[in-house]
Amino acid sequence: MMENLSLKAPESSAVPVESSTSSGAAGEPAALVPGAVEVLPILPLRDTVLFPDTIIPLSIGRASSMQLLEQSLPQSKLLGLVLQKDKESENPSLDQLHEHGVIGRVIRMMRQESGVVIVVRGEQRMRIRQVVQQEPYMKAEVETLSSVMPAKDDDLAEAALRNLRESATKLLSLRPEVSDEVKTLFSTIEDASTLTDILAANLSIETDAKQKLLEETHVTRRVAALEVHLNNQLHIADLQSKLRENVSSEFSEAQKRAYLREQLRAIQKELGEDDSGEEQVEDIRLRLDKAGLPEKARAQADRELKRLEIIPAQSPDHSVIVNYLETLAELPWNVLSDEKVDLRKAQEILDRDHFGLTKVKKRLIEYLAVRKLNPTGRGPILCFLGPPGVGKTSLGQSIAEALGRKFARISLGGLRDETEIRGHRRTYIGSMPGRLIQELKRLGTRNPVLMLDEIDKLGADFRGDPASALLEVLDPRQNQEFTDRYIDVPFDLSQIIFIATCNTLDTIPAPLRDRMEIVELTGYTEREKLSIAKNYLVKRQLSEHGLTEDQCSWSDEAIERVIEDYTREAGVRNLERQIASVTRHVAASIAKEEITQAKVTPAIVREALGPAAFVRESKLQTSVPGVVTGLAYTTAGGEVLHIEAIRFPGKGGFTLTGQLGDVMKESVRAALSLVRSRAAQLGIDPETFDKNEVHVHVPAGAVPKDGPSAGIAMFTALASLFSNRPVSKDVGMTGEVTLRGLVLPIGGLKEKSIAALRAGLKTILVPKLNEKDEPDLPEEVRQRLKIIPVETVDEVLAAALEPAAEKA
């Protein structure tokens, strides 16, 4: 809609403000020269964009703005007027203001009971360069900008300008409320820049669109943008003109509806059901209009609105419908966070928040690079696999910060009800949407980073299978039409960046696992834990306990003692808890004024935490036939296993103890069969097997042990036992065997090698097919451990067995 172009302030209570383009108050420039730099007071505007060559009244209510006028107007009538990004902000800073604005001249000021009204004329575009004063009001150094005019011989630009003028004239002709004076004014404007500015100021378009037109200094591009807005206004005006032709019949229909509605209200009042629900319905209708629902969703909402109009407020269905419509109105159907991918900043954020994890960071930077090149592409669903406490969830937060998106976390651990994903059907009071829709409603954006935590701990029972429900959510080709059972209309999830976390892949169904790209996070070495503790954990705990580094400092030996004696984990979560316990111990002493500062040593650690909680498995002190050091992978990282085998007279049976799982039991049986098949090669009398019982035991019997990587350790223990050749105490081994004597590859090589280094081993035997994993091992491991790849059990025995012991 076109507004009046000329504004005149009321004469009552008016205080005229003198203005002159040729001369002004002290310190005021005689003329605004394009490219000139001036220092001006900045007046933030909440929801108004001022254009050059236009005049508008502004109501001033903020204390800072009142002080700005009182102090600056006596010296200069020029102000910098800039639109603020958030109109609710009371005292916006520079980053909360748009960079481009207009230099305005105050031509009148009127004092009223509610505040001050000023009339301002736009002079010239400008751009804020830097702030020179923040309090009590903002002053900034601004650069004046000029419009870029098209060349005189540019026929295409001239044709576009004529089209714009014709469209504006046509729009004015369809607006009977516009005066002839305004129509004449448009026909007399020759300057293209002035014409576009006046049109932009008076078109009924969104504030953000006006701001973009203000920032556009190229007149030709400004003309093209205005032509689009004018065409939209012409379309609306044409429809309004057609509607006026049928106003009589429409008005009579409206009267009929109003009469019937009034009768219904009277009936409800007689029944005691009058609750003035009409205002509530109208409020919900306005909120739905503002939400911008898609066609299907709006049709569903309109049907429910019609039901709401006739259902009494005391009816249970009334609250169900109101909750449903409010949910539809609050969902971010068209709200997207601005995404800015800065790879250097992303690398800085990842390095700041996470130590090590070089391979994982590289994959994330690649992921973000693809997002930058193709923002609308269907990227993979990443799943971070690793033990607890290695930083899986915080990696998701770092990705959200690097992208400038909002972050939310949904814990799936122990989830068994499918309705938590798909939502409840609206068949009863208390039904609600699923967790996904609830989080989007809370965040207010359709493209957050959503962390699906502990996806490997989903359950299933008579209430459904949540893992199957996630198949649709995590499929980029299906989730743009995701239908929550509660809202019962499609909602687009394709712009969400889903990131899952898990500790193991074994419990994730294969179809769901196929939806995701697995990014593995391994555990930390003790040296890495030491660096993490020094650079991150200690500083964070000192801050949380109100201590400074001068009051409480940690020695490396103290941190190492906490790592070795009080934690057994791949990550650093429990390490931080123990550091917090020691810090509390020191904080209590300082608070009691017993000491003023402390340096944490191993003695203070023991005093705060008590005796060591864990005794690390170390290498064997002596070499004994039948005893082998194996390497195992657990959810807390790598561990060494001392596998012991003894024989005694009997009838050829064998016993297994140590809480071995089915896989390890099968490894022992396969190893025994392999040793018996190679008896001659190993120099063993075959009758020995029939005359002796064998007992295989893995100490730490209270800890369940299982996994397909103990085959060569079991074989070596039995071969050592029956050949009476001890295994070197400095050798550890991992790998599975076949009945043909081949060594099969294993997983968790990094964790197992770290455990070997921690136990003091010097050599480890690994499957030859795992040579590809050696570059991923920590530098410390590769320097201090001799890694021997083996392909057959013959190579294992050659590297592990010592010369045969002498018989007594």
Side-chain angles (χ1 to χ4, degrees):
M1 183 176 128
M2 302 292 293
E3 302 171 358
N4 289 335
L5 299 178
S6 60
L7 294 170
K8 186 175 181 181
E11 297 296 336
S12 59
S13 305
V15 180
V17 179
E18 299 177 3
S19 64
S20 172
T21 57
S22 59
S23 64
E28 182 175 333
L32 296 173
V33 181
V37 177
E38 302 290 343
V39 175
L40 294 177
I42 302 300
L43 181 64
L45 302 180
R46 291 187 188 273
D47 202 15
T48 304
V49 179
L50 175 64
F51 285 85
D53 301 315
T54 60
I55 299 174
I56 62 171
L58 296 174
S59 178
I60 306 300
R62 284 187 278 208
S64 59
S65 300
M66 297 282 285
Q67 196 167 1
L68 180 152
L69 296 177
E70 295 292 342
Q71 296 184 13
S72 65
L73 285 185
Q75 284 76 37
S76 173
K77 309 302 181 291
L78 295 181
L79 303 173
L81 295 104
V82 183
L83 178 68
Q84 60 189 60
K85 297 176 181 178
D86 181 8
K87 66 180 180 181
E88 302 299 331
S89 178
E90 283 298 324
N91 190 21
S93 58
L94 179 61
D95 58 353
Q96 293 174 314
L97 297 176
H98 286 279
E99 184 181 8
H100 290 76
V102 165
I103 298 175
R105 187 181 299 274
V106 180
I107 60 176
R108 180 167 294 185
M109 183 170 75
M110 294 154 285
R111 302 185 187 276
Q112 299 177 348
E113 293 182 2
S114 59
V116 173
V117 175
I118 60 174
V119 180
V120 186
R121 181 177 64 223
E123 297 282 342
Q124 194 163 348
R125 286 173 167 80
M126 63 86 173
R127 178 175 63 85
I128 296 178
R129 297 182 61 180
Q130 61 179 357
V131 173
V132 299
Q133 173 184 309
Q134 188 68 43
E135 297 294 341
Y137 56 86
M138 186 184 296
K139 272 190 177 182
E141 191 177 87
V142 303
E143 176 186 359
T144 57
L145 305 174
S146 60
S147 294
V148 180
M149 305 295 292
K152 293 183 178 180
D153 57 351
D154 190 343
D155 295 337
L156 185 60
E158 179 63 25
L161 183 60
R162 290 185 181 181
N163 284 341
L164 180 68
R165 196 185 298 276
E166 291 175 2
S167 298
T169 303
K170 184 177 179 182
L171 180 60
L172 290 174
S173 66
L174 293 172
R175 296 293 185 188
E177 69 273 12
V178 179
S179 64
D180 294 336
E181 179 186 353
V182 173
K183 297 176 183 178
T184 304
L185 176 60
F186 266 104
S187 63
T188 59
I189 298 175
E190 297 293 338
D191 183 70
S193 179
T194 302
L195 177 63
T196 56
D197 284 339
I198 294 178
L199 272 174
N202 289 276
L203 279 177
S204 179
I205 58 178
E206 295 290 337
T207 304
D208 291 340
K210 287 190 175 184
Q211 178 65 27
K212 290 180 180 179
L213 289 170
L214 177 64
E215 295 174 1
E216 181 56 72
T217 58
H218 202 292
V219 174
T220 302
R221 289 197 287 267
R222 207 186 303 159
V223 168
L226 278 169
E227 183 67 34
V228 174
H229 292 301
L230 271 173
N231 285 336
N232 291 336
Q233 297 290 322
L234 279 170
H235 179 67
I236 295 171
D238 188 48
L239 290 175
Q240 289 178 331
S241 178
K242 292 179 180 179
L243 289 173
R244 289 192 194 100
E245 297 175 1
N246 301 321
V247 66
S248 299
S249 60
E250 290 295 328
F251 183 69
S252 61
E253 182 66 23
Q255 283 181 321
K256 178 182 177 182
R257 290 178 177 272
Y259 174 73
L260 293 174
R261 193 173 290 113
E262 190 64 30
Q263 281 189 321
L264 178 62
R265 191 180 297 113
I267 294 171
Q268 289 178 337
K269 186 174 182 180
E270 288 295 326
L271 294 174
E273 298 176 352
D274 181 29
D275 196 18
S276 301
E278 188 174 346
E279 293 183 4
Q280 184 182 35
V281 172
E282 189 61 29
D283 177 64
I284 293 176
R285 193 190 307 277
L286 292 175
R287 291 169 60 187
L288 291 170
D289 292 339
K290 187 177 180 180
L293 276 66
E295 183 178 351
K296 291 182 179 179
R298 188 53 202 253
Q300 176 73 6
D302 288 340
R303 285 194 294 269
E304 295 297 328
L305 274 172
K306 290 179 180 178
R307 291 183 60 205
L308 188 63
E309 289 177 344
I310 62 175
I311 293 178
Q314 290 76 15
S315 171
D317 286 343
H318 185 276
S319 62
V320 172
I321 296 175
V322 168
N323 291 337
Y324 173 69
L325 292 174
E326 288 182 342
T327 299
L328 290 183
E330 293 172 7
L331 283 176
W333 298 93
N334 297 308
V335 181
L336 296 172
S337 301
D338 293 333
E339 180 176 299
K340 296 180 180 179
V341 182
D342 186 337
L343 296 181
R344 291 185 179 178
K345 180 182 177 183
Q347 186 70 57
E348 291 174 0
I349 292 173
L350 291 172
D351 291 337
R352 179 198 69 194
D353 296 341
H354 303 86
F355 182 84
L357 303 178
T358 305
K359 192 173 181 181
V360 176
K361 291 178 184 177
K362 178 176 179 292
R363 177 64 186 90
L364 294 180
I365 292 297
E366 292 171 352
Y367 177 82
L368 296 177
V370 174
R371 295 285 311 177
K372 181 176 182 179
L373 297 176
N374 185 14
T376 60
R378 296 186 178 99
I381 308 297
L382 298 181
C383 179
F384 295 147
L385 166 66
V390 295
K392 299 186 293 297
T393 303
S394 58
L395 276 173
Q397 295 173 328
S398 299
I399 292 175
E401 182 180 351
L403 290 173
R405 294 192 181 195
K406 293 185 178 180
F407 176 81
R409 171 181 170 271
I410 298 177
S411 178
L412 301 179
L415 192 68
R416 294 178 177 273
D417 193 347
E418 183 182 344
T419 56
E420 291 290 325
I421 305 297
R422 295 193 182 277
H424 302 253
R425 298 191 184 278
R426 287 185 295 117
T427 55
Y428 56 90
I429 297 175
S431 57
M432 63 183 65
R435 298 277 294 278
L436 293 170
I437 297 298
Q438 290 184 46
E439 286 298 329
L440 294 178
K441 174 183 170 184
R442 182 181 64 83
L443 294 172
T445 180
R446 193 160 55 83
N447 63 340
V449 175
L450 207 55
M451 174 74 75
L452 302 177
D453 223 356
E454 309 293 354
I455 200 170
D456 57 324
K457 297 175 179 61
L458 282 171
D461 59 14
F462 66 93
R463 291 168 289 187
D465 183 6
S468 298
L470 282 175
L471 292 177
E472 180 185 2
V473 173
L474 299 183
D475 190 339
R477 300 186 183 278
Q478 295 183 34
N479 59 16
Q480 60 186 354
E481 291 287 330
F482 175 74
T483 301
D484 184 277
R485 289 170 179 164
Y486 181 81
I487 63 174
D488 202 27
V489 289
F491 192 91
D492 186 2
L493 303 180
S494 61
Q495 296 301 311
I496 300 175
I497 294 181
F498 288 103
I499 298 175
T501 71
C502 65
N503 300 129
T504 179
L505 295 177
D506 298 340
T507 57
I508 302 177
L512 182 58
R513 189 165 63 240
D514 183 60
R515 293 283 196 275
M516 304 179 293
E517 176 186 338
I518 306 301
V519 179
E520 188 172 0
L521 283 75
T522 53
Y524 297 109
T525 66
E526 292 189 356
R527 181 172 296 182
E528 288 174 335
K529 289 183 180 180
L530 176 62
S531 298
I532 293 171
K534 289 171 60 179
N535 297 324
Y536 300 93
L537 307 184
V538 170
K539 293 179 180 178
R540 184 158 62 215
Q541 290 306 316
L542 289 178
S543 175
E544 291 183 1
H545 289 82
L547 299 176
T548 64
E549 294 184 9
D550 293 334
Q551 291 176 302
C552 179
S553 59
W554 282 69
S555 66
D556 289 357
E557 293 79 8
I559 298 175
E560 289 173 351
R561 185 60 52 220
V562 175
I563 294 171
E564 293 176 5
D565 293 349
Y566 298 95
T567 63
R568 176 175 289 178
E569 57 178 347
V572 293
R573 185 174 296 154
N574 197 44
L575 172 60
E576 185 170 10
R577 293 193 188 102
Q578 300 297 348
I579 290 175
S581 298
V582 178
T583 307
R584 283 195 302 273
H585 177 77
V586 175
S589 299
I590 293 177
K592 293 176 183 177
E593 298 183 354
E594 297 174 354
I595 57 174
T596 57
Q597 61 181 9
K599 183 177 180 63
V600 179
T601 61
I604 293 179
V605 169
R606 182 176 179 83
E607 179 183 345
L609 301 181
F614 300 103
V615 178
R616 297 286 184 181
E617 294 277 6
S618 59
K619 69 177 182 179
L620 299 171
Q621 299 300 316
T622 58
S623 299
V624 180
V627 180
V628 174
T629 302
L631 303 175
Y633 174 80
T634 69
T635 56
E639 292 291 343
V640 297
L641 295 178
H642 294 158
I643 300 172
E644 301 175 348
I646 60 172
R647 60 175 179 169
F648 48 88
K651 298 182 179 180
F654 70 93
T655 304
L656 303 176
T657 55
Q659 281 213 50
L660 303 184
D662 292 337
V663 176
M664 291 191 72
K665 290 178 181 178
E666 292 175 0
S667 296
V668 177
R669 294 187 179 92
L672 182 60
S673 298
L674 186 58
V675 170
R676 297 188 68 165
S677 67
R678 292 172 173 252
Q681 184 178 342
L682 295 172
I684 303 172
D685 184 0
E687 295 183 359
T688 305
F689 297 104
D690 299 326
K691 297 179 180 179
N692 289 273
E693 298 275 345
V694 177
H695 186 165
V696 178
H697 177 66
V698 181
V703 180
K705 295 168 279 291
D706 201 8
S709 62
I712 63 172
M714 296 295 185
F715 170 80
T716 305
L718 294 173
S720 166
L721 176 67
F722 284 101
S723 64
N724 201 33
R725 295 177 60 187
V727 179
S728 174
K729 62 183 180 181
D730 294 324
V731 174
M733 61 189 70
T734 179
E736 194 53 83
V737 294
T738 69
L739 292 178
R740 294 175 295 159
L742 300 178
V743 181
L744 300 179
I746 47 88
L749 181 61
K750 178 182 176 181
E751 287 79 3
K752 294 175 180 178
S753 62
I754 293 172
L757 183 65
R758 187 170 57 235
L761 300 177
K762 297 179 180 178
T763 303
I764 59 173
L765 308 182
V766 302
K768 189 174 182 60
L769 293 176
N770 281 107
E771 280 186 301
K772 59 181 176 56
D773 299 324
E774 290 186 25
D776 296 333
L777 299 180
E779 183 67 23
E780 180 184 4
V781 170
R782 286 184 278 133
Q783 288 181 355
R784 295 175 56 185
L785 280 181
K786 181 180 180 181
I787 302 174
I788 301 177
V790 291
E791 195 170 7
T792 65
V793 292
D794 297 324
E795 297 176 21
V796 173
L797 297 179
L801 293 182
E802 293 183 353
E806 294 183 3
K807 296 182 180 180

